[in-house]
Amino acid sequence: MNEMTVTREQREAKLEGMGCKRKRVEDIRFTQGKGNYVDDVKLPGMLHGDFVRSPYPHARIKSIDKDKALKVPGVLAVLTAEDLKGVNLAWMPTLAGDVQMVLADGKVLFQNQEVAFVVATDRYAADDGINAVEVEYEALPVLIDPFHSMDPDAPVLREDIKDKKDGAHGPRKHPNHIFEWTVGDKDLTDAAFRKAEVTIKELISYHRTHPSPLETCQCLCSFDKVKGELTIWGTFQAPHVIRTVVALISKIPEHKIHVISPDIGGGFGNKVGAYPGYICSAVASIVTGKPVKWVEDRIENLTSTSFARDYHMTAEIAATKEGKVTGLRVHVLADHGAFDACADPSKWPAGFFNIVTGSYDFPTAHLAVDGVYTNKAPGGVAYRCSFRVTEAAYCIERAMDILAQKLGMDPVELRLKNFIRPEQFPYHSALGWEYDSGDYHTAMKKMMETVDYAGLRREQAEKRDAFKRGETREIMGLGVSFFTEIVGAGPSKNCDILGIAMFDSCEIRLHPTGSGIARMGTKSQGQGHETTWAQIIATELGIPADDITVEEGNTDTAPYGLGTYGSRSTPVAGAAIAMAARKIRAKAQMIAAYMLEIHEDDLEWDIDGFRVKGLPEKFKSMKDICWAAYNAPPPGLEPGLEAVSYYDPPNMTYPFGAYLCVMDIDVDTGVYKVRRFYALDDCGTRINPMIIEGQVHGGLTEAFAIAMGQEIRYDNDGNVVTGSFMDFFMPTAVETPHWETDFTVTPSPHHPIGAKGVGESPNVGGVPAFSNAVNDAFSFLGSTHIQMPHDFWRNWQAAKRLGAIA
Ligand code: PCD
Ligand SMILES: [Cu+]
């Protein structure tokens, strides 16, 4: 086809650039079972490692006897803390500035803690070896309730630091205290409360849960003695960070460490940190000279790798009688388990929890967070919520509902009254953030109109009357949630991991025939980066997305990046892609000018190439320019067309959304039905609307799981009672409600393509919507707050407590 017969729309459509519902290219291999996951990587002579784990949550280790295990056929080695001490690896640093045992050193601090690592020729032999290791324990008193962690007579958990007065984030008040973190103006906030006409105060707990990706955490380590090089295939959301950490703690030079994240079966924050399995496999490979694989099972994943939440938040709001908020005070008791292994940027011990003022214009606020140790597994990862943002959103969205209830106001009306107004952006929050952009009123009103909010409230009033008359046993709840997310960690001025600034990167190389490759510092775990990153390049460079390969996850070839979590890939790496592409386009313009024998400034970009201003027929496509770049570049200009960008974002991005959940609950059984769920998301410029919809569906499903039942629960003796999918709620298509999605577009003013993150938003907004629906349903019976998760049993208990059941 010649140029003239192809319309602009056709040229644009061919690119499948930004805004196109491009089908996910990675699904071609995934749907055919051709993905390549860690467990698919098999090396000759490969050994298998597995852990002896503690049945006790708190106990002293009197002795470990390996003799019988070493006699089990196939068992080659049994590693204990004593062995790791020889290479200075019995403990490892955590991302939060604490240290963590790799293998139990003298004592165990949580049930299923790693005690010894058995290496054998296959998994079965390793398992037999585990059973043959004899460990003698002496049980110690157990500390499970965080509210008792700082009691004068509480058992001291971390004897290694019991006399340390200062932790990584300042002074400690008790041997089981980790840090206190405060933000905001205390005096001004206290004054606001003294003057307040109306106040509310509630303990709002966000229970412990777990990301539980379908593929558990795993790795394969192979040490080449001759070259002195270590290669690690692993389920890493941040492969470069893992390489740096391994270099720092193993003393193997960083260029001799190769970290490869192949396909990953879901991450959700679970695969950000470093686990004992990685260290033990690496050591075992060095010791045996053979490749060693470690693959967690489900119980191990749920009970020992990083949990999420476990925040106990006491929220107070001060307001006027008319419902204008005047102050916010929040105290958080954060249960970190046995070690502070929170995966947050280094300077943020409670993540970005200070986004807790939410979408509202609080003139003043004060926040204090106390982190404490308990006999539970370490962790504290995002699980689809950036850093402690879901906790913050839940706290404020529940508290706003409680205030509305006290004022006798509709929760939507209260929110509309207190929203940050469009003209206030960029908005400086009382707790220190600068919100980049937002239009909350428009989003909320679109939600109200689409679902007929007023009609739903009328229906609810009728149902309540019918309930009181004894005509129905069903109660109806409307769960409103309006969240502001904070994603895109982050600007080097306040975000680093172990001292490495949280930029991200992209390297684009175009080939002579007009196709190319982009290599990234991010790592998709299912998000679809291979699809969407190519779309950004397609729009920026006029090359069809199908002609761009996207490669992630190999530290030898990818530019250094901080990885994928905290919905940071679009805000940070997405910007790096645009910036790298623009460098290429600038050079392409010089080449086009030379080809067209005209000054660069007389050219304009037009979809897929450069055109001479005012002379539309004089045009050079990017394809022509690519060829010329390798064939006849302008004199004095280097051949080739490639560029790299390391992008340090000037600010975070602040996506937001308006969600509504309509729920019916049968009081006699506690059984709930989600009748309707509407989710409006604003993530700025939308790269791939279909992927966004998929992200929202996934995030809402996880929010549903967490709010309605998913929990890591411990009994008083420290046993995990929800350690498998028999007890840990993992919704299937049967339980999962139908999702209605919608959007508005408020671009980020500082992002080169105006995009904000979206992957986490549905969890951040979804959890309060579900919980507010349950609480709203019960509110007319005199209840102000019912703790999550809202499973049938708890709903039934609430109904009983509130007198709905005789
Ligand atoms: N505006 C816009 C935004 C976005 N997008 C798209 O979407 C996605 C997402 O993004 P973002 O938001 O940026 O994010 P990222 O970074 O990429 O990722 C991350 C996230 O992601 C999510 N999602 C998902 N999916 C899947 N499938 N899988 C997984 O695993 C996951 N995970 C989850 C999580 S949890 Mo964390 O880690 O907790 O912190 S965080 C997170 C991608 O593809 C992109 O491109 C678009 O399109 N547009
Ligand atoms: Cu979080």
Side-chain angles (χ1 to χ4, degrees):
M1 251 191 303
N2 98 28
E3 256 271 354
M4 303 316 283
T5 61
V6 182
T7 65
R8 302 196 74 221
E9 286 70 28
Q10 284 169 324
R11 279 163 60 207
E12 204 148 70
K14 193 175 162 227
L15 298 180
E16 297 197 281
M18 285 195 276
C20 168
K21 293 185 180 175
R22 182 173 187 232
K23 282 195 183 151
R24 290 169 35 114
V25 294
E26 40 275 269
D27 288 352
I28 297 166
R29 64 178 188 278
F30 293 151
T31 54
Q32 295 181 52
K34 293 286 195 288
N36 182 42
Y37 298 90
V38 173
D39 205 34
D40 294 317
V41 184
K42 297 187 171 78
L43 298 180
M46 184 172 83
L47 305 175
H48 297 261
D50 207 350
F51 284 109
V52 175
R53 291 177 182 274
S54 169
Y56 291 91
H58 195 196
R60 216 166 289 294
I61 295 184
K62 310 277 281 184
S63 63
I64 303 177
D65 189 347
K66 318 176 179 175
D67 287 356
K68 290 197 182 115
L70 287 169
K71 292 195 185 96
V72 170
V75 172
L76 298 177
V78 177
L79 299 178
T80 64
E82 291 311 311
D83 303 307
L84 294 182
K85 277 180 186 165
V87 283
N88 214 2
L89 284 175
W91 292 69
M92 62 179 178
T94 71
L95 294 176
D98 196 358
V99 287
Q100 172 178 358
M101 292 175 194
V102 174
L103 290 171
D105 183 13
K107 71 188 290 194
V108 290
L109 285 159
F110 63 94
Q111 189 176 56
N112 274 2
Q113 186 178 338
E114 300 80 0
V115 174
F117 191 67
V118 176
V119 186
T121 46
D122 60 62
R123 264 306 273 273
Y124 303 98
D127 200 57
D128 291 344
I130 286 168
N131 292 325
V133 175
E134 289 174 344
V135 187
E136 203 188 325
Y137 298 95
E138 179 193 306
L140 293 169
V142 175
L143 174 59
I144 291 302
D145 183 352
F147 287 93
H148 288 296
S149 59
M150 293 200 277
D151 287 356
D153 58 347
V156 173
L157 306 192
R158 292 288 302 279
E159 288 163 68
D160 58 306
I161 52 167
K162 71 172 188 301
D163 298 322
K164 260 184 90 180
K165 294 276 172 279
D166 285 293
H169 305 282
R172 301 165 67 218
K173 306 176 205 169
H174 184 283
N176 294 330
H177 186 233
I178 309 171
F179 62 84
E180 183 191 23
W181 185 59
T182 59
V183 195
D185 191 325
K186 186 165 188 313
D187 295 341
L188 214 57
T189 307
D190 290 347
F193 274 86
R194 278 195 302 275
K195 276 185 279 181
E197 292 168 350
V198 183
T199 61
I200 60 117
K201 179 174 185 174
E202 192 69 50
L203 169 64
I204 299 167
S205 279
Y206 198 144
H207 57 286
R208 183 176 271 244
T209 182
H210 194 282
S212 52
L214 283 188
E215 177 201 34
T216 59
C217 298
Q218 30 200 281
C219 72
L220 168 59
C221 296
S222 179
F223 186 70
D224 182 326
K225 273 209 165 87
V226 177
K227 294 188 188 156
E229 294 189 5
L230 178 65
T231 306
I232 309 176
W233 290 262
T235 47
F236 309 131
Q237 291 181 235
H240 279 102
V241 178
I242 294 284
R243 188 184 70 187
T244 302
V245 170
V246 173
L248 290 173
I249 66 180
S250 72
K251 306 282 184 289
I252 300 172
E254 197 162 356
H255 69 290
K256 296 206 167 193
I257 303 168
H258 315 284
V259 175
I260 301 162
S261 291
D263 285 328
I264 295 182
F268 310 111
N270 191 222
K271 295 165 178 172
V272 173
Y275 296 120
Y278 308 158
I279 310 281
C280 290
S281 311
V283 172
S285 177
I286 294 170
V287 170
T288 61
K290 301 245 170 69
V292 176
K293 184 181 269 187
W294 169 70
V295 175
E296 237 178 19
D297 68 23
R298 180 59 55 193
I299 295 175
E300 293 178 296
N301 179 258
L302 281 171
T303 59
S304 72
T305 57
S306 51
F307 73 92
R309 331 295 191 229
D310 220 341
Y311 258 35
H312 307 278
M313 310 172 283
T314 305
E316 293 172 83
I317 300 180
T320 64
K321 290 195 298 288
E322 291 74 39
K324 197 95 185 93
V325 297
T326 54
L328 175 72
R329 196 154 57 191
V330 181
H331 177 264
V332 181
L333 183 66
D335 185 341
H336 285 245
F339 307 95
D340 186 5
C342 245
D344 294 319
S346 306
K347 294 187 195 73
W348 302 93
F352 303 152
F353 188 85
N354 54 328
I355 191 77
V356 67
T357 51
S359 315
Y360 313 105
D361 188 13
F362 277 96
T364 178
H366 186 255
L367 162 70
V369 183
D370 277 298
V372 295
Y373 293 119
T374 57
N375 288 121
K376 299 177 191 165
V381 292
Y383 184 8
R384 209 162 194 150
C385 76
S386 187
F387 308 102
R388 304 290 187 180
V389 176
T390 187
E391 289 93 326
Y394 181 60
C395 181
I396 187 65
E397 287 307 287
R398 202 65 273 294
M400 287 301 272
D401 262 27
I402 294 168
L403 176 63
Q405 190 181 353
K406 182 149 186 186
L407 291 165
M409 245 173 113
D410 185 274
V412 166
E413 194 194 327
L414 177 70
R415 285 173 171 81
L416 285 169
K417 192 164 204 155
N418 289 290
F419 275 157
I420 299 161
R421 295 182 312 278
E423 69 275 11
Q424 285 177 285
F425 291 94
Y427 173 79
H428 292 264
S429 79
L431 293 178
W433 295 115
E434 184 189 309
Y435 294 23
D436 61 345
S437 64
D439 182 354
Y440 299 166
H441 294 84
T442 303
M444 187 66 122
K445 287 189 177 140
K446 189 167 185 192
M447 180 278 272
M448 292 168 78
E449 277 158 31
T450 316
V451 302
D452 181 20
Y453 182 74
L456 286 167
R457 281 291 175 203
R458 277 195 301 276
E459 186 190 342
Q460 182 187 39
E462 282 157 22
K463 261 195 125 165
R464 283 178 174 174
D465 289 340
F467 182 86
K468 287 179 194 152
R469 289 193 302 268
E471 290 162 17
T472 176
R473 297 296 287 156
E474 236 180 36
I475 54 177
M476 173 179 169
L478 293 185
V480 178
S481 140
F482 196 101
F483 66 94
T484 295
E485 250 271 62
I486 165 169
V487 297
S492 60
K493 58 175 184 265
N494 54 20
C495 288
D496 70 274
I497 285 185
L498 301 172
I500 304 165
M502 293 182 75
F503 58 83
D504 226 291
S505 60
C506 168
E507 182 194 285
I508 303 173
R509 184 179 305 166
L510 297 185
H511 309 318
T513 53
S515 64
I517 181 167
R519 291 186 164 124
M520 308 288 309
T522 49
K523 175 61 207 167
S524 180
Q525 310 121 44
Q527 291 85 344
H529 292 172
E530 286 167 56
T531 307
T532 51
W533 295 161
Q535 291 181 258
I536 301 178
I537 296 172
T539 297
E540 291 287 338
L541 286 178
I543 290 174
D546 275 346
D547 295 345
I548 303 289
T549 300
V550 172
E551 206 181 83
E552 297 181 314
N554 185 334
T555 55
D556 281 346
T557 50
Y560 202 106
L562 278 284
T564 291
Y565 44 84
S567 264
R568 64 184 298 280
S569 304
T570 303
V572 190
I577 298 170
M579 299 313 267
R582 287 172 195 182
K583 288 184 192 173
I584 290 182
R585 205 161 91 183
K587 182 169 177 182
Q589 188 163 359
M590 293 191 242
I591 298 172
Y594 176 71
M595 293 166 84
L596 291 162
E597 298 176 15
I598 198 160
H599 192 275
E600 255 179 82
D601 294 346
D602 295 326
L603 291 176
E604 64 188 3
W605 177 254
D606 181 31
I607 300 173
D608 50 9
F610 285 98
R611 190 177 295 291
V612 178
K613 288 179 192 161
L615 288 173
E617 67 290 348
K618 293 210 117 205
F619 178 81
K620 287 291 167 202
S621 71
M622 271 306 280
K623 211 178 155 85
D624 304 332
I625 297 169
C626 283
W627 185 256
Y630 289 89
N631 166 266
L637 200 67
E638 284 178 16
L641 259 187
E642 60 181 86
V644 54
S645 168
Y646 285 78
Y647 189 80
D648 181 4
N651 192 3
M652 312 271 185
T653 66
Y654 297 75
F656 57 92
Y659 289 8
L660 185 86
C661 172
V662 186
M663 195 185 289
D664 299 303
I665 303 173
D666 177 84
V667 289
D668 293 318
T669 56
V671 172
Y672 59 80
K673 278 199 276 320
V674 177
R675 198 199 304 172
R676 193 163 179 195
F677 199 103
Y678 170 89
L680 177 149
D681 274 277
D682 191 317
C683 56
T685 306
R686 292 150 53 89
I687 304 162
N688 183 327
M690 185 160 63
I691 287 205
I692 292 174
E693 198 180 353
Q695 287 291 306
V696 173
H697 284 197
L700 289 177
T701 305
E702 287 181 321
F704 167 70
I706 295 168
M708 305 313 287
Q710 190 176 83
E711 181 181 18
I712 295 288
R713 197 160 68 243
Y714 288 80
D715 68 14
N716 292 333
D717 300 323
N719 300 301
V720 188
V721 295
T722 52
S724 80
F725 282 168
M726 296 292 284
D727 308 291
F728 183 84
F729 179 40
M730 182 54 77
T732 66
V734 177
E735 296 88 7
T736 304
H738 172 74
W739 311 119
E740 288 170 55
T741 58
D742 203 346
F743 64 96
T744 53
V745 176
T746 312
S748 166
H750 62 78
H751 188 283
I753 57 170
K756 304 180 177 184
V758 77
E760 299 176 326
S761 299
N763 192 313
V764 172
V767 171
F770 287 110
S771 184
N772 281 347
V774 174
N775 277 288
D776 184 62
F778 281 108
S779 63
F780 78 113
L781 298 169
S783 146
T784 47
H785 178 66
I786 302 165
Q787 300 290 6
M788 288 195 290
H790 305 292
D791 51 31
F792 299 158
W793 182 72
R794 278 195 181 81
N795 289 343
W796 177 78
Q797 276 196 317
K800 244 182 119 76
R801 196 169 57 240
L802 296 166
I805 305 173

